């Protein structure tokens, strides 16, 4: 039951070319940065990544993107990254834009054994009707467009059918975890992370604090260890681009 690994290299050693990854985090918060760097160092290419966003040019998933390792992104937000824009418009990168709540539910469904579900999100738009550019041809034309999805009425309202997402691997960051893989996330760093972890057939968690089984209050566990296969302790000293605190002395005029 001890799921701990000693190094990030060991944790991601079997992530190879063409693998699909669900990655937790929201914006730059809750990013499994140590694991992402290890994937980068490992050289895996042609990756398909499911994550709310793709980081920024020099941080998070943006590192893999900048190195040309990502073949396809499934995301709900793709701003803040100029290299993402360049690769998408040039036809180097495929993109499947998905409404944020739908993306979250697709991951949860994938981890729950649910093949598909109906939702109102996207009805009457290209999300349901198809035609959203997924890959450009590099000359301004659309090489691959999204297909139309089944729409069905329930109770007099239309709903679009969305398929669940499951991936080869999942990478998440947690504040605390035990050797059995039970995880506790911190505030908004929890966004998408439990859902991404559920969707991975092999889930790897980096935790700031590793504790012994029984030390976590069962009521505080956000993700049970049944979904987690490897745990890497990274400590509290890792770089967090968005989690900063500035303390200074106020002046008389500010009081």
């Amino acid at each position: 039951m001890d799921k701990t690994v000693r190094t990030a290299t060991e944790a991601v050693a079997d992530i190879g070319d063409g693998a699909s990854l669900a990655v937790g985090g929201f914006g730059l918060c809750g990013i499994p940065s140590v694991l992402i760097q290890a994937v980068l160092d490992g050289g895996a290419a042609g990756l398909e990544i499911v994550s709310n966003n793709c980081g920024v040019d020099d941080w998070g998933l943006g590192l893999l993107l900048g190195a040309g390792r990502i073949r396809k992104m499934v995301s709900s937000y793709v701003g803040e990254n100029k290299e993402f824009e360049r690769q998408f418009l040039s036809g180097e990168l495929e993109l499947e834009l998905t409404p944020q709540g739908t993306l979250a539910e697709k991951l949860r469904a994938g981890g729950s054994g649910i093949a598909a579900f109906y939702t109102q999100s996207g009805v009457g738009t290209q999300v349901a009707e198809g035609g959203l550019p997924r890959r450009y041809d590099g000359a301004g034309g659309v090489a691959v467009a999204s297909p139309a999805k089944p729409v069905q009425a329930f109770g007099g309202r239309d709903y679009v059918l969305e398929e669940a997402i499951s991936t080869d691997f999942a990478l998440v960051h947690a504040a605390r975890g035990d050797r059995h893989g039970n995880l506790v996330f911190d505030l908004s760093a929890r966004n998408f992370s439990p859902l991404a972890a559920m969707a991975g057939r092999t889930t790897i968690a980096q935790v700031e604090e590793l504790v012994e089984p029984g030390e976590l209050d069962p009521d505080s566990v956000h993700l049970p260890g049944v979904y987690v296969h490897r745990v890497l302790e990274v400590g509290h000293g890792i770089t967090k681009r968005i989690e900063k605190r500035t303390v200074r002395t106020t002046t008389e005029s500010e009081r």
Side-chain angles (χ1 to χ4, degrees), residues 104-117 162-165 198:
E105 181 62 11
K106 283 163 78 79
L107 290 166
R108 190 198 70 82
S112 301
I114 299 170
F117 59 92
E162 292 283 359
E163 294 185 16
I165 291 176
M198 290 173 67

Side-chain angles (χ1 to χ4, degrees), residues 248-252 254-255:
R248 65 182 176 84
T249 303
T250 59
T251 64
E252 286 294 332
E254 292 175 320
R255 290 177 182 155

Side-chain angles (χ1 to χ4, degrees), residues 3-135:
K3 300 177 181 180
T4 57
V5 293
R6 293 173 296 176
T7 68
T9 300
E10 178 186 350
V12 304
D14 52 349
I15 298 180
D17 293 351
S20 59
L21 286 72
V23 181
F26 189 73
L28 297 181
C29 189
I31 300 299
S33 55
V34 175
L35 295 175
I36 290 172
Q37 183 64 51
V39 173
L40 178 66
D41 295 341
L47 300 172
E48 178 177 335
I49 296 184
V50 183
S51 189
N52 179 65
N53 55 282
C54 196
V56 292
D57 288 311
D58 62 345
W59 189 250
L61 290 172
L63 296 176
L64 288 172
L65 183 75
R69 306 288 182 79
I70 301 177
R71 177 189 66 83
K72 178 180 178 180
M73 282 295 305
V74 181
S75 298
S76 64
Y77 176 70
V78 295
E80 315 300 332
N81 194 317
K82 293 180 181 178
E83 178 61 13
F84 192 107
E85 177 186 16
R86 188 198 68 77
Q87 290 191 23
F88 180 49
L89 295 179
S90 67
E92 300 172 32
L93 177 69
E94 186 174 340
L95 169 64
E96 186 175 335
L97 273 175
T98 306
Q100 194 167 82
T102 301
L103 180 60
E105 181 62 11
K106 283 163 78 79
L107 290 166
R108 190 198 70 82
S112 301
I114 299 170
F117 59 92
Y118 281 98
T119 176
Q120 290 182 326
S121 297
V123 171
T125 73
Q126 287 181 300
V127 170
E129 297 169 359
L132 276 174
R134 286 192 174 177
R135 183 165 59 82

